[in-house]
Amino acid sequence: MSKYRVLIDANDEKGLVHKVSTVFYNNDLNILSNSEFVDKENNKFFMRSVVDGDIDISKLRESLKEVLPKSAGIKLIEPKKKNIIIMATKELHALGDILIRHEADELDANILAVISNYDELESLVTRFNIPYITVSHEGLERIEHEQKIIECIDSFKDVDYIVLAKYMRILTPRFVETYEDKIINIHHSFLPAFIGANPYKQAYNRGVKIIGATAHFVNNNLDEGPIIAQEVIHVDHAYSWKDMQRSGRDVEKVVLSRALKLALEDRIFVYANKTVIF
Amino acid sequence: MSKYRVLIDANDEKGLVHKVSTVFYNNDLNILSNSEFVDKENNKFFMRSVVDGDIDISKLRESLKEVLPKSAGIKLIEPKKKNIIIMATKELHALGDILIRHEADELDANILAVISNYDELESLVTRFNIPYITVSHEGLERIEHEQKIIECIDSFKDVDYIVLAKYMRILTPRFVETYEDKIINIHHSFLPAFIGANPYKQAYNRGVKIIGATAHFVNNNLDEGPIIAQEVIHVDHAYSWKDMQRSGRDVEKVVLSRALKLALEDRIFVYANKTVIF
Amino acid sequence: MSKYRVLIDANDEKGLVHKVSTVFYNNDLNILSNSEFVDKENNKFFMRSVVDGDIDISKLRESLKEVLPKSAGIKLIEPKKKNIIIMATKELHALGDILIRHEADELDANILAVISNYDELESLVTRFNIPYITVSHEGLERIEHEQKIIECIDSFKDVDYIVLAKYMRILTPRFVETYEDKIINIHHSFLPAFIGANPYKQAYNRGVKIIGATAHFVNNNLDEGPIIAQEVIHVDHAYSWKDMQRSGRDVEKVVLSRALKLALEDRIFVYANKTVIF
Amino acid sequence: MSKYRVLIDANDEKGLVHKVSTVFYNNDLNILSNSEFVDKENNKFFMRSVVDGDIDISKLRESLKEVLPKSAGIKLIEPKKKNIIIMATKELHALGDILIRHEADELDANILAVISNYDELESLVTRFNIPYITVSHEGLERIEHEQKIIECIDSFKDVDYIVLAKYMRILTPRFVETYEDKIINIHHSFLPAFIGANPYKQAYNRGVKIIGATAHFVNNNLDEGPIIAQEVIHVDHAYSWKDMQRSGRDVEKVVLSRALKLALEDRIFVYANKTVIF
C-alpha cells in the first residue's frame, strides 16, 4: 500500500473529473483528497488528488495518459522528503526559521547545503550539521560568480528547490533558466509595490499603513515571478524605516516558510506567470 | 440549458467521486466547479458541484440515488434568489449592512420582511420598501411572543433563512426546532469565549487584546450552534467596553453578511454541530 | 465646562511637552487624553490633547502661542458634528456604508449633500433625507464640469470634508487645490500597487494573493496623496477579477469609513505627503 | 549622556503630565518618546517616557517623588540587556524562535539558561552556547520538583523574566508567587476560550473558524493571568486537530516573541489583572 500525489493540468474539456476518477476507481485506488480548478479565462483545468492503494505507478500513468488530452501535464509524486538548497547573504531571520522548522521536523525536506556569498552565517548553519558553502563574489564578474554557484549546486544530486532566504544579489537570466520553477524567493515587500532596492525605505517615504512580504518563484522578470504567498502587517507613523524592516522580517520569514511548505507538499501549479495552489 | 448546485453528503466509501462524476458525464453535464471533503474521523463524505447542461432534474436525482448509498443526502438546487426574514431589535448596523447589500444586488435574496420587538428600525426598513412588522413582547409570556412571531413568519411562503441581525432575545427550543438549520445568528463575541450577556464588558474586564464576532446556526444549545464564520480585530488597553462594542459592530456586520452569503450560495453543510463550507 | 481638542505641530525642541502641559495646568484644564510624536528625521513635533475645563478659548490660544515657536501650528477644535459632502458616481457600497453609519449616529457629521455625475443613487440617498445633486458631465469639458461642482459645493457653508465614495472621475489640480487636505478618497487598491485604471484586473493578472484598499487625502499627484488607512484581504487563484472587485468592495467601504472617522475626530496631521494619526 | 525609561503609575489627578514634564525640563532632559493613558474607570494614570540627557538618576527619582502622589509607582530603567531564563518541555518551535532572534540580536536579552523537565531539547540549546539544565520531574512530588527548579533559577543572579516556551506542567501558587509578574507564558489558545488541556482538540470539536494563541503573565488563576499579546489565524473544516496544532505553533511562537519583546523594552504595566502596553 502506498500513497501518491497526482497533479494534472490540461486544456479543459467535459468529463475530465469523470475520466480521472474512473482511472482511480479502476486501479482500485482510494481518493484521500481531491481539488480541482478550472480557469475559465484560459480554459485550463487543474487537479490535485492524493490517492492510496496498491499502486502500479507505470500502469497508473498509462491509464491517465489514455484518457487525458495529449497536451496534459501528469505528475505522479510519491510523498517523500525533497532536497533543497538554501541561498543566503548575511541576514539570518528567514534562514533561521527554516533551520528551526527543519529541526522540528515540520518541513518535509533535506537541506543539502546553505550557499552564501559571505561567511557570516556559517557558525549558525554548521551547528545544525548542514554544510555551509561560501562562494564569495569578490573580484568576480556576476557571470563567473554564478557559474561557481551553479557548479556548487550541481555537485548535489536531485535538487528539488533552491530557496533564496534573503539572498541579496540579482540573478542573471542564465541562472534563472537553469532552475526554472525551482527557485523560491522572499521579496521584502508586498509586490508589486516597492519593487527594487530598499522597499522599506520606499514604504516609509510613501507613508504606507501596511507593509508586507511576498514569496514567489523567480523568473527573468526581476521581482515579477509567480506569487506563491503574501502576508502583511499594520504599521503607523511612529515606525522608522528601520522599524519597518525589523517588523517586516517577521512577515518575511512567515511567508517564505509558508511558500516552501506548499512547494514541498506539491500543492503549486505554475502557469501564465501565476500560481494555482491547492 | 440551466445550472444546478448539487450537494451530496454520505458515509464515505471508495468510488464516490467516480460514481457521481460518471452520473454527471452520462447526463451530459458540464462541471463548473467541484469541491469535496472527507471527514476521516466521522467517515463522512461531502461534495458540492455546480453543473450546467440540459438538465432533467428528476432523472438526475434518480441517477444519483442509484449510485449513492441509501443514507446519502442529495440536494439539487437551482440558483435563484432565496427568501429571507430578518429579525432585529433596536441596533441597526448589522441590519443596515444587509439592506445596503440587498440594494446593491450583492445578496441573492428577497427580504420578505423585518420583524422586531420594537419599532425603532421601522423608518429605516420601510424606506427600502421592505415590510416591517413589530411584534412587541410587552405583556406577553416568552412562548406567546414567539407564537406570534411564528405566525408572522409562517404568513410568508417558502422562507429559506431567518437572519437574527442583533435580535436580542433568547429563543425557546420550540422556536429553534421549528426552523432547524434555518436560523443564522450573529453573536457579538469570538465564541466560545464570552458566552452570554454583555460579552464586550466581559472582554474588557478580562483585558483581551483581540475581540471578535461569530455567525452561527442557532440550535438549542444557546450560543453553541454550528459556527459559519468568525472574524476578529485587535484592541488595546485604551478601549473602554463601549469602544469595544463600537468597534465590534464593524466585525459583527461583516461576519453576519459573510455567513448569509455562504448560506444563500448553498455552500454550507451542517453536521456534528459543525459546518463544512465550500 | 467644555471639551476641546488641541492639535499642535512644531519644529521639535526641548521642553515642548512641558510648555504645553504647563499652559493646560495654568488654565486649570484637565487632560483627558494626550498623544505625542516626534519625527526625528524631519525634526517635527506633533501633539494632540483632549482637555476639558472652564475654557477661555482665546486666552488658551494666546497662552499656547506665547510658549510655542512662531512657526507652530495650533488648532483648538470644539468637538461637534462636521459638515461633509459626499461625491459618488454609480456604485453604492461605500456611500451606503456611510449612510448607514450616519443613520446609526456613528459618524460625528452632517451630510450636507451627495453630488454625483449620474442619478443612479438618487433614490437611495433621498430616502435618508439627504439632498442629492446630479451634476452631469455630459457635453461638458472637465473644467466646466468641475466648475459646476465647485459652485454646488460652495453653495453650502462650512464644508469640512469632501468624501469621494467611489467618485470615478479624475479631479483637476484646480479642484484639488481649492479643497486642499479636505478631500478624502478611497482607492480600490493597496497603494502604491496598481495605480490607475481597473486595479482589480491588474491584480488578477499579476496573480496576487492579497488585495487591498487605501483611503487617502487627494493632492495633485493622482493616487499619491497622504495615506490615511489601508486594509487587505486574502484572495486566491479561484477569484476572477470580478470576484476580487466584489470582495474588494467590502474592504473599500471599511477603509473609507475608518478614514472618515479619523478625520471627523481630528486625529490626522498631514505633512511631507504623509499622515500622523493619533 | 545616557538614556532612561521612566515608568510611572499613579492615582489620576490633574496636572500629572505637567508635573512630570516639568521635572524632565528642570533636569534638562530631552523627551524622546512619551505615552500616557488614564483608566477612567479605575482612576489610574500610566506614563512611560524615554528621556535622554546628562542624568543624575537619584536626583531625578527624588524630583519625581516630590511632585507625584505618595502611592505612585516610579521606575527608572536604563535600557540594557535583561536576563531571562526559558523553561520548556519537549516542543521546540517557540524556544527555537527565541534562540534565532537572540542569535540575530533582535532581543535585548541574555538567555542565562534553558530549564526543562526532559532532555530532548538539549542538543539544540547547547549549540547556541546556552546552558541547558534538565530538572526531571520523575519520581518527584510537584512541590519537590519545583523546589529544584527554584534553586536552579536562584543560582543565577538578577533574573528579569522567566519565559515558559511551551513548558507543559502546571505551576503551583508558591512558584508563581516567587516570581510574580516575571513569568511569561504562551497559552496555545485564544484565551479565555479553551482553557485547560488540549485546546486544539477542543477547538476542533467546537468547529471554530479561527484559532489563536495568548501570551500572558502567569498568576495563580491558571490560564487567567494578565494578557500581553494575542494573535489568530483562520482555519476551516479541512483542518484536523493535529493540523490546527501545527498551524497554531506558528501563532504561538509569534505571540510569545512579541510579548517577550514588549517586556524587554519595559512597555508593560500590570494592574487589575490586565496590562497597559505602550
Side-chain angles (χ1 to χ4, degrees):
Chain A
M1 295 288 285
S2 60
K3 206 194 269 194
Y4 267 83
R5 294 171 188 154
V6 183
L7 276 76
I8 292 166
D9 66 277
N11 292 326
D12 191 33
E13 56 177 53
K14 202 179 279 187
L16 287 177
V17 175
H18 161 65
K19 284 168 183 166
V20 172
S21 62
T22 301
V23 167
F24 292 161
Y25 189 68
N26 290 342
N27 279 266
D28 205 30
L29 301 180
N30 199 20
I31 298 177
L32 298 180
S33 75
N34 204 24
S35 304
E36 298 129 40
F37 172 64
V38 176
D39 177 342
K40 274 139 202 143
E41 194 162 319
N42 293 295
N43 199 43
K44 289 281 288 178
F45 170 87
F46 301 90
M47 183 169 180
R48 178 187 184 273
S49 305
V50 182
V51 294
D52 76 349
D54 188 8
I55 300 180
D56 177 336
I57 197 73
S58 61
K59 183 167 161 257
L60 177 59
R61 190 186 310 273
E62 279 316 303
S63 315
L64 286 169
K65 270 189 184 165
E66 265 167 42
V67 301
L68 288 169
K70 276 211 172 135
S71 59
I74 304 172
K75 286 188 192 166
L76 303 179
I77 305 168
E78 201 182 347
K80 61 174 182 186
K81 279 187 193 301
K82 296 203 193 310
N83 295 318
I84 67 173
I85 284 178
I86 303 173
M87 290 171 66
T89 292
K90 291 177 176 180
E91 284 178 84
L92 70 73
H93 59 284
L95 170 63
D97 196 58
I98 295 173
L99 293 175
I100 290 293
R101 286 176 192 273
H102 183 252
E103 182 82 13
D105 235 346
E106 278 182 45
L107 295 177
D108 224 14
N110 303 308
I111 304 177
L112 302 180
V114 174
I115 300 174
S116 174
N117 48 331
Y118 289 96
D119 56 13
E120 263 83 350
L121 301 168
E122 179 161 14
S123 144
L124 174 70
V125 171
T126 52
R127 266 175 246 181
F128 286 84
N129 284 319
I130 291 166
Y132 186 90
I133 303 163
T134 305
V135 183
S136 172
H137 61 277
E138 297 262 332
L140 297 181
E141 299 285 323
R142 184 176 302 276
I143 203 79
E144 291 174 307
H145 180 234
E146 275 190 359
Q147 180 55 35
K148 287 185 118 184
I149 293 178
I150 289 174
E151 282 163 20
C152 178
I153 292 172
D154 291 351
S155 72
F156 295 93
K157 272 196 299 198
D158 301 325
V159 177
D160 292 293
Y161 288 106
I162 296 161
V163 181
L164 307 184
K166 304 288 289 177
Y167 180 71
M168 302 306 281
R169 290 172 62 82
I170 290 166
L171 299 168
T172 68
R174 184 186 165 228
F175 187 95
V176 171
E177 280 156 22
T178 306
Y179 306 106
E180 206 189 339
D181 290 347
K182 286 188 163 186
I183 311 173
I184 297 172
N185 185 41
I186 180 68
H187 191 276
H188 40 320
S189 138
F190 179 68
L191 290 176
F194 309 126
I195 288 174
N198 206 334
Y200 291 117
K201 202 153 193 179
Q202 289 183 59
Y204 171 79
N205 287 335
R206 183 61 189 88
V208 297
K209 301 301 186 186
I210 285 179
I211 57 172
T214 303
H216 62 101
F217 286 113
V218 178
N219 66 15
N220 275 322
N221 299 320
L222 178 66
D223 298 344
E224 296 282 2
I227 293 171
I228 306 168
Q230 301 191 292
E231 197 49 87
V232 299
I233 49 165
H234 287 258
V235 295
D236 63 35
H237 60 265
Y239 282 66
S240 68
W241 77 263
K242 293 254 177 201
D243 294 332
M244 289 187 182
Q245 188 181 48
R246 245 185 306 271
S247 299
R249 282 189 196 122
D250 280 0
V251 186
E252 290 169 22
K253 73 183 192 188
V254 164
V255 175
L256 180 59
S257 290
R258 193 186 299 164
L260 178 56
K261 195 163 185 293
L262 292 169
L264 295 174
E265 295 176 354
D266 301 302
R267 294 183 176 277
I268 313 175
F269 290 84
V270 175
Y271 83 111
N273 206 36
K274 302 203 279 189
T275 59
V276 170
I277 297 176
F278 290 129
Chain B
M1 295 289 284
S2 59
K3 207 193 267 194
Y4 267 83
R5 295 172 188 153
V6 183
L7 277 75
I8 293 166
D9 66 277
N11 292 328
D12 191 33
E13 56 177 52
K14 203 180 282 189
L16 288 177
V17 176
H18 161 66
K19 284 168 183 166
V20 173
S21 63
T22 301
V23 167
F24 292 162
Y25 190 68
N26 290 341
N27 279 268
D28 205 30
L29 300 180
N30 199 19
I31 299 177
L32 297 180
S33 75
N34 205 22
S35 304
E36 300 129 40
F37 171 65
V38 176
D39 177 341
K40 274 136 203 146
E41 195 163 318
N42 293 296
N43 200 43
K44 288 282 287 179
F45 169 87
F46 302 90
M47 182 170 180
R48 179 188 184 272
S49 305
V50 182
V51 295
D52 76 350
D54 188 8
I55 302 180
D56 178 337
I57 198 71
S58 61
K59 184 168 160 254
L60 178 57
R61 191 187 309 274
E62 279 316 303
S63 317
L64 286 169
K65 270 190 185 165
E66 266 167 42
V67 301
L68 288 169
K70 277 214 170 132
S71 60
I74 303 172
K75 285 188 193 167
L76 303 178
I77 306 168
E78 201 182 346
K80 61 175 181 185
K81 281 189 192 300
K82 295 201 194 315
N83 295 318
I84 66 174
I85 284 178
I86 303 173
M87 289 171 67
T89 292
K90 291 178 177 180
E91 284 178 84
L92 69 73
H93 59 286
L95 170 63
D97 196 58
I98 295 172
L99 293 175
I100 290 292
R101 286 175 193 273
H102 183 251
E103 181 83 13
D105 235 347
E106 280 183 44
L107 295 177
D108 225 13
N110 304 308
I111 305 177
L112 302 179
V114 174
I115 300 174
S116 173
N117 48 331
Y118 289 96
D119 55 13
E120 264 83 349
L121 301 168
E122 179 160 16
S123 144
L124 174 70
V125 170
T126 52
R127 264 174 248 181
F128 286 85
N129 285 317
I130 292 166
Y132 186 91
I133 304 161
T134 306
V135 183
S136 173
H137 61 276
E138 298 261 333
L140 297 181
E141 300 285 322
R142 184 176 302 277
I143 204 79
E144 291 172 309
H145 180 235
E146 276 190 359
Q147 179 55 35
K148 288 183 119 187
I149 293 178
I150 289 174
E151 282 163 20
C152 178
I153 292 172
D154 291 350
S155 71
F156 296 92
K157 273 195 299 199
D158 302 324
V159 177
D160 293 293
Y161 288 106
I162 296 161
V163 181
L164 307 184
K166 305 287 288 175
Y167 180 70
M168 303 305 281
R169 288 173 62 83
I170 291 166
L171 299 168
T172 67
R174 185 188 164 225
F175 187 94
V176 172
E177 279 155 24
T178 307
Y179 307 107
E180 205 190 341
D181 290 347
K182 287 188 162 188
I183 310 173
I184 298 172
N185 185 41
I186 181 67
H187 192 276
H188 41 319
S189 138
F190 179 69
L191 291 175
F194 308 126
I195 288 173
N198 206 334
Y200 292 116
K201 202 152 193 180
Q202 289 183 58
Y204 171 79
N205 287 334
R206 182 62 189 88
V208 297
K209 301 300 185 186
I210 285 179
I211 57 171
T214 302
H216 63 101
F217 286 113
V218 178
N219 65 16
N220 275 323
N221 298 320
L222 178 65
D223 298 344
E224 296 281 2
I227 293 171
I228 306 169
Q230 300 190 294
E231 196 50 86
V232 300
I233 48 165
H234 287 258
V235 294
D236 63 34
H237 60 265
Y239 284 66
S240 68
W241 77 262
K242 291 255 177 201
D243 294 330
M244 290 187 181
Q245 188 181 50
R246 246 187 305 271
S247 301
R249 282 189 195 121
D250 280 359
V251 186
E252 290 169 20
K253 74 183 190 187
V254 165
V255 174
L256 180 59
S257 290
R258 193 186 298 163
L260 178 56
K261 195 163 185 291
L262 293 169
L264 295 174
E265 295 176 354
D266 301 302
R267 295 182 175 279
I268 313 175
F269 290 85
V270 175
Y271 83 110
N273 206 35
K274 301 202 279 189
T275 59
V276 169
I277 297 177
F278 289 128
Chain C
M1 293 290 282
S2 60
K3 205 194 266 196
Y4 267 82
R5 295 172 187 152
V6 182
L7 277 75
I8 293 166
D9 66 277
N11 293 328
D12 192 34
E13 56 176 54
K14 202 179 282 189
L16 288 178
V17 176
H18 160 66
K19 286 168 183 167
V20 173
S21 62
T22 300
V23 167
F24 292 160
Y25 189 68
N26 291 342
N27 279 268
D28 205 30
L29 300 180
N30 201 18
I31 299 178
L32 298 180
S33 75
N34 204 23
S35 305
E36 300 128 40
F37 171 65
V38 177
D39 177 342
K40 275 138 203 143
E41 195 162 318
N42 293 295
N43 199 43
K44 288 282 285 180
F45 169 86
F46 301 90
M47 182 169 181
R48 178 187 184 274
S49 306
V50 183
V51 294
D52 77 350
D54 188 8
I55 301 180
D56 178 335
I57 199 70
S58 60
K59 181 165 162 258
L60 177 57
R61 191 187 311 274
E62 279 316 302
S63 315
L64 287 169
K65 271 190 185 164
E66 265 168 43
V67 301
L68 288 169
K70 276 210 172 138
S71 61
I74 303 171
K75 286 189 194 167
L76 303 178
I77 306 168
E78 201 182 347
K80 62 174 180 186
K81 280 188 194 297
K82 296 203 193 311
N83 295 318
I84 66 174
I85 283 179
I86 303 173
M87 290 171 66
T89 292
K90 292 176 175 181
E91 284 178 84
L92 70 73
H93 60 284
L95 171 62
D97 196 58
I98 295 173
L99 294 176
I100 290 293
R101 286 176 193 272
H102 183 250
E103 182 82 13
D105 235 346
E106 280 183 44
L107 295 177
D108 223 13
N110 303 308
I111 304 177
L112 302 179
V114 175
I115 300 174
S116 173
N117 48 332
Y118 289 97
D119 56 14
E120 263 84 349
L121 301 169
E122 179 161 15
S123 143
L124 174 70
V125 170
T126 51
R127 268 174 244 180
F128 286 84
N129 285 319
I130 292 166
Y132 186 90
I133 304 162
T134 306
V135 183
S136 172
H137 61 277
E138 297 262 332
L140 296 182
E141 300 286 322
R142 184 176 302 276
I143 203 80
E144 291 173 311
H145 180 234
E146 276 190 357
Q147 179 55 35
K148 287 184 118 185
I149 293 178
I150 289 174
E151 283 163 19
C152 178
I153 292 172
D154 292 351
S155 71
F156 294 92
K157 270 196 299 197
D158 301 326
V159 177
D160 292 293
Y161 288 105
I162 296 162
V163 181
L164 308 184
K166 305 287 289 177
Y167 180 70
M168 303 306 281
R169 291 173 62 82
I170 291 167
L171 299 168
T172 68
R174 184 187 164 226
F175 187 95
V176 172
E177 281 156 22
T178 308
Y179 306 108
E180 207 190 337
D181 290 348
K182 286 188 163 187
I183 310 173
I184 297 172
N185 185 41
I186 180 67
H187 192 276
H188 39 320
S189 140
F190 179 69
L191 289 176
F194 309 125
I195 287 172
N198 206 335
Y200 291 117
K201 203 153 193 179
Q202 290 183 58
Y204 171 79
N205 288 334
R206 183 62 190 88
V208 297
K209 301 300 185 188
I210 284 178
I211 57 172
T214 303
H216 62 101
F217 286 113
V218 178
N219 65 16
N220 275 323
N221 299 320
L222 177 66
D223 299 345
E224 298 280 1
I227 293 171
I228 306 169
Q230 301 190 292
E231 197 48 87
V232 300
I233 49 165
H234 288 258
V235 295
D236 62 36
H237 60 266
Y239 282 68
S240 68
W241 76 262
K242 292 256 177 198
D243 293 332
M244 289 188 182
Q245 188 181 49
R246 246 186 305 271
S247 300
R249 281 188 197 122
D250 280 359
V251 187
E252 290 168 22
K253 75 183 189 188
V254 165
V255 174
L256 180 58
S257 291
R258 192 186 300 164
L260 178 56
K261 195 162 186 293
L262 293 169
L264 296 174
E265 295 176 354
D266 302 303
R267 295 183 176 277
I268 313 176
F269 290 84
V270 175
Y271 83 109
N273 207 36
K274 302 202 279 188
T275 60
V276 169
I277 297 177
F278 289 128
Chain D
M1 296 288 283
S2 60
K3 206 192 268 194
Y4 267 82
R5 296 172 188 153
V6 182
L7 277 75
I8 293 166
D9 66 276
N11 293 328
D12 191 34
E13 57 176 54
K14 202 179 284 191
L16 288 177
V17 176
H18 161 66
K19 285 169 183 165
V20 173
S21 61
T22 301
V23 166
F24 292 160
Y25 189 70
N26 291 341
N27 279 267
D28 205 31
L29 301 180
N30 200 19
I31 299 177
L32 298 181
S33 75
N34 205 23
S35 305
E36 299 129 40
F37 171 65
V38 176
D39 177 342
K40 275 138 203 141
E41 196 162 318
N42 293 294
N43 199 43
K44 288 281 286 180
F45 170 86
F46 301 90
M47 182 170 181
R48 178 189 184 272
S49 305
V50 182
V51 295
D52 76 350
D54 188 9
I55 300 180
D56 177 336
I57 198 69
S58 61
K59 182 167 161 254
L60 177 58
R61 190 187 311 273
E62 279 316 302
S63 315
L64 287 169
K65 271 190 185 166
E66 267 168 42
V67 300
L68 288 169
K70 276 212 171 135
S71 60
I74 303 171
K75 287 188 193 168
L76 303 178
I77 306 168
E78 201 182 348
K80 61 174 182 183
K81 280 188 193 299
K82 295 203 193 313
N83 296 318
I84 66 173
I85 284 177
I86 303 173
M87 289 172 66
T89 292
K90 292 177 176 180
E91 284 178 84
L92 69 73
H93 59 284
L95 170 62
D97 196 58
I98 295 173
L99 293 175
I100 291 292
R101 286 176 193 272
H102 183 251
E103 182 81 16
D105 235 346
E106 279 181 45
L107 295 177
D108 224 14
N110 303 308
I111 305 177
L112 303 179
V114 175
I115 300 174
S116 173
N117 48 331
Y118 289 97
D119 56 14
E120 264 82 351
L121 300 169
E122 178 160 17
S123 144
L124 174 70
V125 171
T126 52
R127 268 174 242 180
F128 287 84
N129 285 318
I130 292 166
Y132 186 90
I133 304 161
T134 305
V135 183
S136 172
H137 60 278
E138 297 263 332
L140 297 181
E141 300 286 322
R142 184 176 302 277
I143 204 79
E144 291 172 311
H145 179 234
E146 276 189 0
Q147 180 55 36
K148 286 183 118 187
I149 293 178
I150 289 173
E151 283 163 20
C152 178
I153 292 172
D154 291 350
S155 72
F156 295 92
K157 271 196 300 199
D158 301 325
V159 178
D160 292 293
Y161 289 105
I162 296 162
V163 181
L164 307 184
K166 305 288 288 176
Y167 180 70
M168 303 304 282
R169 289 172 62 83
I170 290 166
L171 299 168
T172 67
R174 184 189 164 224
F175 187 95
V176 171
E177 279 156 23
T178 307
Y179 306 107
E180 206 190 339
D181 290 347
K182 286 189 165 188
I183 310 173
I184 297 172
N185 185 40
I186 180 67
H187 191 275
H188 40 320
S189 139
F190 179 69
L191 290 175
F194 308 127
I195 288 173
N198 206 335
Y200 291 117
K201 202 154 194 178
Q202 290 183 58
Y204 170 80
N205 287 335
R206 183 61 189 88
V208 297
K209 302 300 185 187
I210 285 178
I211 57 172
T214 303
H216 63 102
F217 286 113
V218 179
N219 64 17
N220 275 324
N221 298 319
L222 176 66
D223 299 342
E224 297 280 2
I227 293 172
I228 306 169
Q230 301 191 292
E231 197 49 87
V232 300
I233 49 166
H234 288 259
V235 295
D236 62 34
H237 60 265
Y239 282 66
S240 68
W241 76 263
K242 292 255 177 199
D243 294 331
M244 289 187 182
Q245 188 182 48
R246 246 187 306 272
S247 300
R249 282 188 196 122
D250 280 359
V251 187
E252 290 167 21
K253 74 183 191 188
V254 165
V255 174
L256 180 59
S257 290
R258 192 185 299 163
L260 178 55
K261 195 163 186 292
L262 293 169
L264 294 175
E265 295 176 354
D266 301 302
R267 294 183 176 279
I268 314 175
F269 290 84
V270 174
Y271 82 111
N273 206 36
K274 301 203 278 190
T275 59
V276 169
I277 296 177
F278 290 129

